[in-house]
Amino acid sequence: VARASFPDGLKAELGKIAEEESRKYNCSISIAVRKDDESVAAAAGTVDFLTNRQAQPSDRYAWGSVTKMFTAASIMKLVSLGRLSLDDHIGPLVDPILAKMAAKDATQNFSSVEDLWGKHVAENTVRQLLAMQSAIPDFDTATPSRTGISQDPLRAELYNEPDKFWTPQALMSVPWVVGHEKDCRPFPSMPLMKFCYSSTNFMILGLVLAAQAGESTWSDFNQSAHLPVYLRERIIFANGGAPKDYGTANGYDRTSYNRPHGQTANHDNAEVKGVFAGWTASNLVADAAAVADLTWEIWGPTSSVAPKEYIDEMIPKTNAIYGLGAFNIGFQTGQKGPLGMGYGHLGATYGYQSLAGYFPELNFALTIGTNIETDTQVQPADTFCLAYNAVAGALLHKTFTCRFEAHGYYGGGCVCSEDAEIMV
């Protein structure tokens, strides 16, 4: 008889965590875990504050930058097939499709990477884009402030024109992106590693995928082609429309961007098409269990999206914040050593924040979806701290007592202790 992957009681424990965290942050929380052929999911909270509809594990969320993890794995699939190299320059890879798009669209006033950013950027490599070490500026304009008003001009435009869907061409053409280079320098706390986060990188990588698929424009590319067959009807890639068009939980912007100092918003983004601005950087829609399955399929033993030796190249180095399309999630576990190893991606888009990770020591994937966006992304991190250690404890037959300590603007961490076993 096959042994169950998850002990009895784990679903109830995750349900309790979802309930407590949803009350704490006044939102919906969805948690899913995948190990081997078993899954566990739980959800709680309010997904629509107008109707008071309560959360179910089947609720879909916008997963934002979790999309990048899949885009990166799709690139690694092509590398494994010899279709391209990580050290190929991006210009020759995407210029043909940019030229075809320009021929079809008179409003597109560029037909090459060099037209957009010059020869130097055209010589940036696929590896540099995947590693967030390119010179390409981010279209995201969110600029947090500790003392003044946090500015986000793009957010203001998205909300002023909620019916406008922002195409990759439009995002690459905005004044703060076209014609600019980012001075990519080492991350302050990690002086030996450059880290210049840019979602624009992953739209360019999407164009690489579309060109390799033989398409003549971005919208013809089928992102689902690299998914395992059983996930193709469970995961949606939104190339248009607003969250409500995909039956998602309503997403609420509770950030301080563009608000008077000391105030936060409560903007319902269910009908804002700009939520999916970013294409292959941020357009994944699914329930938490489907994203846990995808995370497992990318990183787990089967490595069904791309061969394991290529997926392993994506893994961040032990003390690095980012690898190739993957964050070091281990920093958020509250654990050290092998139990503190994990990788995946954070997700933050307008009204939604999330997290997806894989943890090799115990061989499971964990996803957290939430329907609010906060300045510090505290609610997915807090929920992850408790859920990860609940799963780890259940699998190891141990009890970890954990709490999430928030400090600083983007600070915070998971603090855990192992309860001593009482001998009787």
Side-chain angles (χ1 to χ4, degrees), residues 241-320:
K244 69 178 181 63
D245 299 318
Y246 300 97
T248 70
N250 290 38
Y252 297 88
D253 172 358
R254 294 188 190 157
T255 69
S256 62
Y257 291 111
N258 307 322
R259 306 287 294 181
H261 182 59
Q263 294 186 19
T264 56
N266 189 27
H267 194 279
D268 184 350
N269 288 347
E271 298 187 9
V272 177
K273 294 182 178 180
V275 167
F276 300 120
W279 185 39
T280 43
S282 52
N283 69 343
L284 193 154
V285 177
D287 60 52
V291 180
D293 286 340
L294 175 60
T295 305
W296 170 268
E297 295 292 347
I298 291 172
W299 301 105
T302 57
S303 298
S304 68
V305 178
K308 186 178 187 304
E309 60 268 32
Y310 292 90
I311 293 295
D312 285 350
E313 292 190 50
M314 294 168 54
I315 298 174
K317 290 181 170 55
T318 303
N319 293 318

Side-chain angles (χ1 to χ4, degrees), residues 84-387:
L84 56 93
S85 162
L86 289 176
D87 297 313
D88 284 347
H89 294 168
I90 59 169
L93 290 174
V94 302
D95 286 353
I97 191 169
L98 286 177
K100 291 176 183 176
M101 289 163 56
K104 290 184 174 182
D105 182 0
T107 66
Q108 181 180 317
N109 59 3
F110 58 88
S111 58
S112 69
V113 176
E114 188 169 345
D115 287 346
L116 284 162
W117 297 296
K119 184 177 180 180
H120 172 67
V121 173
E123 292 177 349
N124 279 191
T125 66
V126 172
R127 188 189 304 273
Q128 285 176 286
L129 270 66
L130 286 168
M132 299 295 186
Q133 295 178 355
S134 83
I136 299 173
D138 197 351
F139 63 78
D140 184 352
T141 58
T143 306
S145 171
R146 297 173 186 267
T147 57
I149 296 176
S150 296
Q151 302 286 352
D152 192 345
L154 178 59
R155 183 184 301 263
E157 291 195 37
L158 301 183
Y159 292 178
N160 286 336
E161 297 184 85
D163 290 331
K164 178 179 177 179
F165 184 82
W166 288 70
T167 66
Q169 300 102 303
L171 291 167
M172 288 187 283
S173 300
V174 291
W176 55 89
V177 172
V178 66
H180 295 276
E181 284 190 43
K182 179 180 284 189
D183 184 12
C184 191
R185 298 184 178 187
F187 199 60
S189 62
M190 298 178 180
L192 298 180
M193 178 188 175
K194 291 181 178 181
F195 182 67
C196 313
Y197 196 89
S198 174
S199 290
T200 315
N201 290 351
F202 277 75
M203 292 195 304
I204 298 294
L205 292 168
L207 291 174
V208 171
L209 293 170
Q212 290 292 320
E215 304 298 352
S216 59
T217 187
W218 70 274
S219 57
D220 289 341
F221 175 56
N222 177 17
Q223 288 170 259
S224 299
H226 291 279
L227 285 174
V229 173
Y230 79 98
L231 287 177
R232 292 179 186 174
E233 293 187 359
R234 295 174 57 201
I235 291 176
I236 299 167
F237 295 101
N239 283 350
K244 69 178 181 63
D245 299 318
Y246 300 97
T248 70
N250 290 38
Y252 297 88
D253 172 358
R254 294 188 190 157
T255 69
S256 62
Y257 291 111
N258 307 322
R259 306 287 294 181
H261 182 59
Q263 294 186 19
T264 56
N266 189 27
H267 194 279
D268 184 350
N269 288 347
E271 298 187 9
V272 177
K273 294 182 178 180
V275 167
F276 300 120
W279 185 39
T280 43
S282 52
N283 69 343
L284 193 154
V285 177
D287 60 52
V291 180
D293 286 340
L294 175 60
T295 305
W296 170 268
E297 295 292 347
I298 291 172
W299 301 105
T302 57
S303 298
S304 68
V305 178
K308 186 178 187 304
E309 60 268 32
Y310 292 90
I311 293 295
D312 285 350
E313 292 190 50
M314 294 168 54
I315 298 174
K317 290 181 170 55
T318 303
N319 293 318
I321 193 171
Y322 207 76
L324 301 182
F327 275 105
N328 189 336
I329 305 294
F331 292 143
Q332 300 191 35
T333 62
Q335 298 288 348
K336 297 180 179 179
L339 278 183
M341 292 180 61
Y343 27 86
H345 220 284
L346 310 179
T349 188
Y350 305 95
Y352 303 86
Q353 289 171 331
S354 56
L355 185 154
Y358 173 76
F359 308 93
E361 176 67 10
L362 296 177
N363 189 30
F364 70 87
L366 170 64
T367 53
I368 312 292
T370 78
N371 73 331
I372 59 170
E373 178 193 10
T374 63
D375 285 337
T376 57
Q377 302 188 41
V378 64
Q379 74 285 353
D382 189 346
T383 305
F384 168 78
C385 168
L386 302 179

